[in-house]
Amino acid sequence: MTFTDTSTDLVALVRSGPVLVTGAGVSGEGAIKILRDLGCPEIHLVDDSAERGRPLADSHGVDWCTADAARGLLSDAAAVVTSPGWRPDTPLLVDAADAGVPVVGDVAVAFAGDRAGTWGDPRTWLVVTGTNGKTTTTAMLAAMLGDRGAAVGNIGVALHDALTAADRVDVLAAELSSFQLHWAPELRPDAGALLNLAEDHIDWHGSYDAYGADKAIALTGGVAVFGADDADVVKQVEALAADGRLAPAAVGFTIGEPEPGQIGVRDGRIIDRAFGDRSTDEPHEDTAVGGVDVAPIEGISPPGPAGVLDALAATALARSVGVRAADIAEALAGFTVRAHRGQVVHSAGGVDWIDDSKATNPHAADAALRGHDSVVWVAGGQLKGADVSGLVADHAHRMRAAVVLGVDGPVIAEALASAVPGLPVTVIGETDPAAAMGQACSAAAGAARPGDVVLLAPAAASLDMFTGMAQRGDFFADAAREATAPGTEPGTDESIGPSGPLEGDPR
């Protein structure tokens, strides 16, 4: 069960009786702080690990209990505030639904408390979600907002810290996941963006449609910003419109020429045909005809269509709150993508080495590959059942060679062999993470030619060998430098062998 009344009612609810907070992590601690500020009379922290739960509970003066013990508290509970990772089919949450106890997340109580004036005048909430590109878009948006705003949610400042900061922040640029949005069904941001959709977390949400519908909650506030080039996003927009739940202002962003009411690209420039009349300190232009020239797309980080689309979405959100075109252009000119999201981490011999370790699924790898014409692709890891055949077929023409590693590396190699017979593919059998990445980069260095990029865009998760995508990217950067060091002869490790010759261009 999820809470479906107004934000004011949610504040009143958590003041009316005991609240269970599930999960002794960052979100759980944030929820405790928020509930304290809202005046919740009794809080119980629920976590099956005494090592995690008891110290956190003691530090905040609340009770700790296991999930089994928490079931006995449901009869008196006013609500459950769950950490976003707890699935809806978790037994305690199912029991809460059966008992008629509302279940929400920390984002929901933070939004409700802010709207109720708990921490002063309500802030402006700008929400960013999507399968890929959320972090980069949110960081771009925060740069555009300058001192007015801050990145919160999954990046930047914790929500409670942002809401209680001594130096007040008026605009919150919130990166939110599908989990967080699922547990905040009444979130109505001032503006929200749904960047794109691809299959992800289906086991958690139950279906792709349910996953998309949870993401689309971001579009139910004042301004809906959506990826107009993404058919599945457009489908969600149409569904919301049919139900009367779409924001009153809907603005699409497109990599192509923008139509009236959109933001897009014309002659290498970002053009606003939606918000031109909202910037009172700019010359008025007819947005139905020409639009406002915002910024060049040249030099946007990360390079390529994915980076441009992120910039378009951030621009739309910034323009929705009146940020001047000149300030957006300045922010984009000075913006550098965060680590592991398309950074050039090394250059040698006319070859750029790009770390997009964050591309942990085929959809993200697709965006990464689209930005380059001639690629030595480094891929592999845990596919989690994802199909890479479409990805391979779409991008085989831009590949000079590929190097695959990890538990599902052979699956990607088979897809490449089927789609592009004769493409040089090196399969790394090594399981030690540093050694495997070293061998992969040695093979890639042997295959690359001046003008190429060696692109780490794994299309797979990292936990089969690495501690996370960050370590995978760090090892890639280190191995790239080692593979191209003076006196190093690339591709000579006997433990690796390409499935075909590396010389020549098979495209």
Side-chain angles (χ1 to χ4, degrees), residues 131-133 198 306 356 358-370 391 457-459:
T131 302
N132 296 300
D356 208 331
K358 185 64 169 63
T360 56
N361 56 52
H363 186 265
D366 172 81
L369 284 161
R370 283 187 192 282
L391 174 71

Side-chain angles (χ1 to χ4, degrees), residues 96-262:
D98 291 343
V101 178
V103 180
V104 296
D106 62 320
V107 172
V109 290
F111 180 76
D114 184 50
R115 284 295 193 256
T118 303
W119 302 284
D121 292 339
R123 279 75 176 167
T124 297
W125 286 63
L126 306 179
V127 168
V128 179
T129 195
T131 302
N132 296 300
K134 298 183 294 296
T135 298
T136 299
T137 302
T138 306
M140 286 177 171
L141 174 59
M144 294 172 185
L145 293 170
D147 293 339
R148 292 178 59 192
V152 301
N154 292 332
I155 68 168
V157 182
L159 274 170
H160 182 265
D161 291 345
L163 292 166
T164 59
D167 294 330
R168 177 184 166 90
V169 174
D170 289 319
V171 185
L172 305 181
E175 176 194 324
L176 299 182
S177 70
S178 58
F179 305 154
Q180 291 167 308
L181 288 163
H182 176 88
W183 295 122
E186 294 302 305
L187 178 70
R188 298 293 180 264
D190 296 274
L194 177 53
L195 308 179
N196 46 58
L197 286 172
E199 290 194 1
D200 203 9
H201 306 303
I202 305 307
D203 56 343
W204 197 97
H205 292 274
S207 69
Y208 183 44
D209 285 344
Y211 167 72
D214 282 336
K215 289 281 194 185
I217 290 171
L219 305 181
T220 59
V223 179
V225 174
F226 65 94
D229 300 336
D230 189 308
D232 289 346
V233 169
V234 172
K235 179 181 176 182
Q236 290 294 336
V237 170
E238 292 172 344
L240 288 174
D243 292 342
R245 297 188 296 127
L246 183 65
V251 177
F253 63 91
T254 173
I255 200 76
E257 174 84 22
E259 298 177 358
Q262 292 186 333

Side-chain angles (χ1 to χ4, degrees), residues 46-70:
V46 182
D47 196 293
D48 284 337
S49 170
E51 293 182 358
R52 287 194 308 266
R54 192 183 299 277
L56 180 61
D58 289 346
S59 68
H60 290 283
V62 303
D63 294 329
W64 163 78
C65 64
T66 66
D68 282 341

Side-chain angles (χ1 to χ4, degrees), residues 282-293:
E282 293 174 332
H284 174 75
E285 297 190 43
D286 187 347
T287 57
V289 179
V292 174
D293 186 327

